[in-house]
Amino acid sequence: MSLFYVFLKSQPFLSSLGTAEPLAVPMDATTSETAPIQFHTIPDQSVSSIVTNPASTFPLSKHHCFGESCPGEFPLAANPSIVLHVLTACNLDPKDLAKLEATCSFFRQPANFAPDYELSISELAALDMCRKRAIFKPMTTEQQQGLKQRCGGSWKLALRFLLAGEACCRREKFLAIAGPGHSIAVTSKGAVYSFGSNSSGQLGHGTTEEESRPPRLIRSLQGIRIIQAAAGSGRTMLISDAGRVYAFGKDSFGEAEYGVQGAQGAQVVTTPKLVESLKDIFVVQAAIGNFFTAVLSREGRVYTFSWGSESRLGHQTEPNDLEPRPLTGALENAPVVQIAAGYCYLLALACHPNGMSVYSVGCGLGGKLGHGSRTDEKHPRLIEQFQILNLQPVVVAAGAWHAAIVGRDGRVCTWGWGRYGCLGHGNEECESSPKVVEALSNVKAVHVATGDYTTFVVSDDGDVYSFGCGESASLGHNNGVAFAAAAADGEGNRHPHILSPELVTSLKQINERVVQISLTNSIYWNAHTFALTESGKLYAFGAGDKGQLGVELMANQTERGNPERVDIDLN
């Protein structure tokens, strides 16, 4: 694609932006010397096999972009279907498609191709690339048009929305979730393994018996392909490729609010059960907080249920109400690509025509909503600090009491409660507005994960950095120096807290590129951490007292300091 783009840039009609329209050739196949070619009938083959000898057919010395004998002899005008095929086959970025349109009228005038003869070649290419996305394929024509309008009325913007969602959520890939006391692993084929605490049936195996077994396949899901998962305190949610949501475990919320964990009288579901209230919503992601659950639809709408007392999430409901309500206000017409739930708040990454932005709603204690104050927000509110920082968020993470994002340029911002150094700014102070982690200025980040006072950052070369609370060895900095430094810890903690980002050398030693980190996001459980590699290998470390690591521990051992391979091939 780069060679094709360089060829276009080298032509006289692309040599200057913002000038008068220099290309005086017809831009549709019906007026050229070549008969119209329907793009969708072109077989999937290389451009070189379609244009066997472009140099001899269109010698550049005789037929430059203005043509010497007839405008129709200009190769791109003569065969626009070939250009369309190249743009689509090479998966050109939506931003580059927009640049082509801005540069030359050839790419923005109606192309006279099905299915919409009014669309430009760039718009048709974007539409065809949308059709390749698994989430887009099942949509009806009406739903597809609705998504286009919701994204700003352009297929390029719709494509950008779909690509952004896949990038930040790793949709249709293998994944691992380090939940509170239990763990979920999903293979690339959609099979689900669970292990760890099972007091509420959150493992989905049909019982509430505690199991000290290795990871075990949830057999009741055979025939259903799972693509996303979320784990909360005593409960689990799984999302299929058909947009259906399955839940199991405890059905109550807000244990801390009522003073007990595992509230008496709470009903439990021990095998995956379809959530009927969500059956009419095609769900692509779920996020579980301590008092509520949020789901994201494929159209980018956010729905929440429970914890509606005092309209905390913009609606008035009972704590155990499982009827989903859409988040209104600022997010009503903004397509959201990712959601993240903390202890008592929700973050939403939205895709606007002019860029990406983050909204927050819920409890503002500690400044974790990012608005420069500690005020609660009952409706989603835009975090304006990213505009001041000139930063485009692309990944968002919500810890129990603090939050983080990764920008398009690789910068990392954190904010909220800074206890144990979980913000990475070298101290334990709170930050009520997003602040760039300066210690990572030489690192280009691609992924961030947050837990209960802990933070992990993954760089573009696969290096992993962590900082915050060192309890349970969940930060991965388990070495002799660490133990010696922790000996004088007044709290009796064997693992020191890390106030600034440090390279996790134990993960670098596995000699595999890490692409995802997941860590426990609960104040009730000792934390554990998963590192997922590019090849689908899963490594675990941290607390393992309930079998949540998926690896065997020595006698009387309750945690694992160094990453150990979990016996599951997720790929």
Side-chain angles (χ1 to χ4, degrees), residues 130-166:
C130 284
R131 287 172 169 170
K132 293 181 179 180
R133 319 323 301 177
I135 291 176
F136 190 85
K137 288 178 181 178
M139 290 186 178
T140 64
T141 301
E142 182 180 357
Q143 290 170 335
Q144 292 173 357
Q145 290 293 333
L147 175 64
K148 174 186 175 183
Q149 296 307 315
R150 184 170 173 79
C151 291
S154 163
W155 288 120
K156 294 186 293 295
L157 293 175
L159 177 61
R160 190 185 68 164
F161 164 75
L162 296 175
L163 294 176
E166 291 178 3

Side-chain angles (χ1 to χ4, degrees), residues 163-429:
L163 294 176
E166 291 178 3
C168 66
C169 297
R170 291 183 54 80
R171 290 175 187 159
E172 304 170 66
K173 302 286 185 180
F174 39 73
L175 73 154
I177 305 296
H182 74 290
S183 305
I184 302 294
V186 182
T187 72
S188 60
K189 294 184 178 180
V192 182
Y193 291 83
S194 61
F195 42 104
S197 176
N198 194 40
S199 58
S200 300
Q202 62 265 43
L203 297 187
H205 300 308
T207 72
T208 57
E209 296 178 4
E210 295 291 345
E211 302 180 16
S212 57
R213 303 183 183 182
R216 181 178 169 192
L217 180 69
I218 302 181
R219 300 191 179 278
S220 61
L221 291 170
Q222 287 184 344
I224 301 172
R225 183 170 182 259
I226 300 300
I227 62 170
Q228 278 289 314
S233 180
R235 54 188 177 273
T236 305
M237 298 181 76
L238 305 175
I239 302 168
S240 75
D241 60 350
R244 296 297 184 92
V245 180
Y246 299 84
F248 44 101
K250 195 166 56 221
D251 68 350
S252 65
F253 290 83
E255 294 83 8
E257 191 172 39
Y258 302 108
V260 293
Q261 184 180 351
Q264 294 183 355
Q267 296 182 354
V268 297
V269 177
T270 59
T271 56
K273 181 181 179 182
L274 184 67
V275 180
E276 292 292 334
S277 62
L278 294 171
K279 65 181 180 180
D280 295 327
I281 301 172
F282 195 110
V283 175
V284 295
Q285 189 197 351
I288 301 176
N290 194 67
F291 301 103
F292 68 97
T293 294
V295 297
L296 176 64
S297 77
R298 65 181 173 186
E299 297 83 12
R301 290 187 175 88
V302 181
Y303 298 81
T304 60
F305 44 93
S306 72
W307 204 45
S309 57
E310 299 180 7
S311 300
R312 282 193 178 94
L313 292 175
H315 51 67
Q316 187 73 34
T317 61
E318 296 300 319
N320 289 338
D321 184 9
L322 298 182
E323 187 68 27
R325 265 84 171 179
L327 275 183
T328 55
L331 285 180
E332 193 165 359
N333 296 311
V336 173
V337 300
Q338 186 197 359
I339 54 176
Y343 182 78
C344 52
Y345 70 107
L346 179 71
L347 300 179
L349 178 64
C351 187
H352 293 288
N354 60 347
M356 308 291 286
S357 55
V358 180
Y359 293 79
S360 62
V361 61
C363 172
L365 186 64
K368 57 184 176 291
L369 296 186
H371 303 304
S373 68
R374 302 186 181 188
T375 306
D376 296 350
E377 297 290 341
K378 295 182 179 180
H379 299 278
R381 179 181 170 187
L382 175 68
I383 299 178
E384 299 177 352
Q385 182 66 14
F386 299 118
Q387 297 175 358
I388 300 174
L389 295 173
N390 191 27
L391 188 149
Q392 285 275 329
V394 293
V395 178
V396 63
W401 304 102
H402 73 292
I405 65 98
V406 172
R408 189 179 304 278
D409 58 3
R411 284 185 289 171
V412 177
C413 285
T414 59
W415 67 97
W417 212 303
R419 193 176 183 187
Y420 304 126
C422 62
L423 300 185
H425 301 310
N427 54 51
E428 297 188 48
E429 297 178 4

